[in-house]
Amino acid sequence: MDPKLQQWVEELYPYETAFPRHDNAGNVIEATLDEILQTIAQWYVRKNNKYYDVDVPGEVLSRDDVERVIIQRLKIEFPANDLAPDLVRQILQRIIRDIFVSPRESIPIWSGIRKSVPGNPNKLIFSPHMTATINTWKVPQYRQLGITEADWGPFEAFLDYMLPREEEQDMIVNWLAWCLQNEGKKPGWAPFLYSSTKGSGKSTLTKICAMLFGNENSSTENNVSKLVSRFNAPVLEKKFVICEELQIPAGSDKANAVKTFITEHQTMTEHKGHDVQLVDQVCAFMFTTNHIPMWIEHGDRRFFVVEVDHEGHRSGKGADEFGALVKETLEYLEDPRQLAMLYNALVRRKLPRDFSAEALDVQGSSTQVMKTIQSASWDLNVELFEDELNGQSLVALPAASLSILSDSFEKTSVNRMKHWLLELNWTRAKVKWGGADHSRVIFLRPGYQMHNGTLHGPGGWSHTPSANSGFADYARKGLLKRSED
């Protein structure tokens, strides 16, 4: 035989020849007709007279395509059954063409939605309207082995070397344990591993986490491009999402999108060629970077940043020792039985009462690098803007006057300055004053109000601004001295 044909035959052989299952006595196990029909009914969904493979729903199939593939899959899935052509035709008739059949024995109508439902082993989930949603979550193979023992193995030593500060290690491990113990829930913050050096173990830790969640339930992205793109559904349909080398501008659309994905339980997703869908998502995120994430905004509660700064990095004096430990840990966990024991150890881990994976206590749990980021992330322009307001003793500021201040702050947009006022806890009001016959927007210092065109403040102070737009008409003499007193 021609070598190319021989290779073709060898590649197809596993799909044409399958060995039947046997019971404990060695008897061949044949599937019942009900089992065959219910199995096929989970292979495909249909929508608008088109068919989709549940495992690969992007491909559009015709009815003829589906029937031909089912015939081949039957031989592989049920090798013990002698399925005569007439019986196969009856199966196809019932599973595809008959209308008055049980939904368990018919290819269902697809809702168009795909989402991860951890803990549910069914490929399809039916709504009360009997449309089917594709469950993208799959039971990891290692969890099907029936292993009951629990053992940390070399993973514990790996963590001790990589994360030597006990408080930081506990936060990461508790987060991972909570996510595995509550796989159907969504954590409200994400670990962020930072190291200025390469080879510090960040990728190894994320790889091990992906193995625990199941590689089929995990997605690794080199940046956030796919996550924040229009067609981001394939990423958000995973349980565990790794974003490496995360670098995004503070306050940008990308930064806001990432923060939303970390905390929100519902999001809009889209596949190419399909409509936009509002779906539930339970993604757990983990980020890594070699650059300190100074873009994280002041007070942000979505990132637990840990600096990985041991001497086992690629150019450190402990590189050989740490490299050997990484190799030992990965080789150990390549055995699915040992991976199952690590999973059991994490699932059985008792979490502290004061730990929460749904809300991060930034003040109580801040690492040193988080404190550095927080101290540097406050916008200096906000402080300069506050100094300007205090220097003029302003207790109110008409929105129309913001443009006058713009030149003093490198032509900062009026919209940005509006956010500065709100950050300083000033309030926005829409009222009439100065003889105008229509309502206008004015910003008021904390403790001050405007009623019937008159400003009111602490200590019984009041003042009625005129139509004059000058700043002095919205000031209170001795404001700072009064505040200090």
Side-chain angles (χ1 to χ4, degrees):
M1 184 180 292
D2 182 284
K4 293 182 179 178
L5 290 177
Q6 180 65 34
Q7 182 181 0
W8 176 251
V9 170
E10 291 175 356
E11 288 179 354
L12 285 178
Y13 181 78
Y15 301 100
E16 293 181 322
T17 304
F19 297 98
R21 292 181 299 140
H22 293 75
D23 60 20
N24 293 333
N27 300 313
V28 173
I29 301 175
E30 291 189 26
T32 65
L33 182 58
D34 285 343
E35 289 175 332
I36 294 173
L37 289 169
Q38 292 180 35
T39 299
I40 300 173
Q42 298 184 67
W43 286 350
Y44 302 95
V45 288
R46 67 175 100 191
K47 185 179 177 70
N48 299 328
N49 293 320
K50 298 175 182 177
Y51 293 79
Y52 302 87
D53 189 314
V54 169
D55 293 320
V56 193
E59 298 290 336
V60 179
L61 303 171
S62 67
R63 191 180 74 183
D64 185 63
D65 294 335
V66 170
E67 289 178 343
R68 289 174 180 271
V69 175
I70 286 176
I71 291 171
Q72 299 301 319
R73 292 183 71 172
L74 284 171
K75 299 176 183 177
I76 303 167
E77 190 74 20
F78 306 103
N81 290 70
D82 183 15
L83 300 174
D86 284 345
L87 178 57
V88 173
R89 290 190 187 95
Q90 293 176 42
I91 290 174
L92 293 176
Q93 174 70 31
R94 185 169 183 80
I95 203 78
I96 295 177
R97 304 178 189 180
D98 286 352
I99 297 176
F100 300 103
V101 294
S102 166
R104 295 190 299 272
E105 298 177 354
S106 176
I107 294 178
I109 304 299
W110 184 26
S111 65
I113 297 175
R114 284 169 268 188
K115 66 178 182 179
S116 177
V117 188
N120 190 331
N122 296 321
K123 290 185 176 182
L124 299 175
I125 300 168
F126 286 89
S127 73
H129 306 289
M130 292 312 295
T131 56
T133 291
I134 296 176
N135 180 12
T136 58
W137 185 81
K138 298 176 176 63
V139 182
Q141 290 294 325
Y142 76 85
R143 298 187 196 175
Q144 303 177 45
L145 301 176
I147 305 297
T148 58
E149 298 88 351
D151 188 4
W152 289 83
F155 182 63
E156 190 170 21
F158 166 77
L159 286 175
D160 287 341
Y161 201 120
M162 179 184 171
L163 303 170
R165 290 181 285 277
E166 185 177 356
E167 298 82 3
E168 296 176 5
Q169 183 186 136
D170 284 345
M171 280 290 288
I172 298 294
V173 175
N174 287 338
W175 178 88
L176 177 59
W178 185 92
C179 289
L180 293 171
Q181 293 172 14
N182 303 274
E183 215 159 6
K185 295 182 179 180
K186 179 175 178 59
W189 54 270
F192 198 150
L193 308 176
Y194 154 66
S195 174
S196 59
T197 56
K198 295 183 178 180
S200 59
K202 302 189 301 296
S203 295
T204 300
L205 179 56
T206 59
K207 181 177 181 179
I208 293 172
C209 291
M211 294 168 68
L212 288 163
F213 285 105
N215 289 322
E216 58 272 52
N217 303 314
S218 304
S219 176
T220 301
E221 307 299 327
N222 291 330
N223 49 53
V224 296
S225 297
K226 287 185 179 180
L227 178 62
V228 300
S229 69
R230 174 182 173 185
F231 303 112
N232 59 356
V235 179
L236 294 173
E237 288 167 3
K238 301 296 185 180
K239 170 59 191 177
F240 182 58
V241 179
I242 305 162
C243 287
E244 297 182 333
E245 287 307 314
L246 182 63
Q247 277 292 320
I248 45 181
S252 66
D253 290 343
K254 288 185 177 180
N256 292 332
V258 170
K259 290 188 285 187
T260 297
F261 293 143
I262 292 174
T263 55
E264 295 300 318
H265 291 74
Q266 287 189 317
T267 188
M268 303 300 294
T269 64
E270 184 177 359
H271 283 274
K272 288 184 179 180
H274 295 275
D275 295 335
V276 177
Q277 298 279 355
L278 176 65
V279 299
D280 298 325
Q281 61 100 351
V282 291
C283 296
F285 291 89
M286 184 174 283
F287 303 97
T288 71
T289 185
N290 287 331
H291 305 280
I292 187 168
M294 300 301 296
W295 52 265
I296 295 179
E297 295 178 345
H298 184 79
D300 198 303
R301 297 175 177 271
R302 297 172 180 87
F303 303 97
F304 180 71
V305 188
V306 175
E307 183 174 9
V308 185
D309 55 354
H310 55 80
E311 295 182 340
H313 58 84
R314 190 171 301 170
S315 56
K317 63 181 182 180
D320 292 341
E321 179 186 358
F322 184 63
L325 182 56
V326 167
K327 182 180 179 182
E328 179 189 359
T329 304
L330 291 176
E331 288 180 349
Y332 175 85
L333 294 176
E334 283 178 0
D335 185 333
R337 295 169 299 178
Q338 290 166 171
L339 180 62
M341 287 191 284
L342 174 59
Y343 169 78
N344 292 338
L346 287 162
V347 168
R348 297 171 190 174
R349 180 182 175 89
K350 187 174 182 181
L351 301 178
R353 285 188 176 182
D354 59 351
F355 173 80
S356 173
E358 297 175 295
L360 179 63
D361 177 11
V362 175
Q363 297 300 322
S365 304
S366 285
T367 63
Q368 186 57 50
V369 69
M370 287 173 68
K371 293 175 182 176
T372 300
I373 294 170
Q374 292 296 319
S375 64
S377 63
W378 179 258
D379 193 338
L380 180 59
N381 282 324
V382 177
E383 295 184 348
L384 295 176
F385 185 65
E386 185 178 26
D387 288 344
E388 181 70 19
L389 298 175
N390 291 338
Q392 299 195 42
S393 299
L394 292 175
V395 298
L397 185 63
S401 300
L402 287 175
S403 58
I404 301 174
L405 290 174
S406 176
D407 291 338
S408 302
F409 294 92
E410 298 180 351
K411 297 189 182 300
T412 298
S413 70
V414 171
N415 196 51
R416 183 70 181 272
M417 297 174 77
K418 174 195 72 175
H419 288 293
W420 290 351
L421 285 165
L422 297 178
E423 285 184 39
L424 295 171
N425 295 319
W426 284 48
T427 57
R428 174 186 178 277
K430 195 170 185 179
V431 294
K432 294 179 182 179
W433 83 92
D437 59 358
H438 62 280
S439 297
R440 294 177 290 168
V441 173
I442 189 169
F443 291 93
L444 303 165
R445 182 182 286 271
Y448 289 80
Q449 303 85 34
M450 177 174 273
H451 300 292
N452 299 322
T454 299
L455 287 168
H456 299 271
W461 178 87
S462 65
H463 170 65
T464 303
S466 65
N468 179 17
S469 61
F471 289 148
D473 216 18
Y474 302 95
R476 181 180 182 182
K477 292 182 179 180
L479 174 68
L480 291 183
K481 184 176 185 304
R482 178 176 295 277
S483 300
E484 291 171 357
D485 293 343

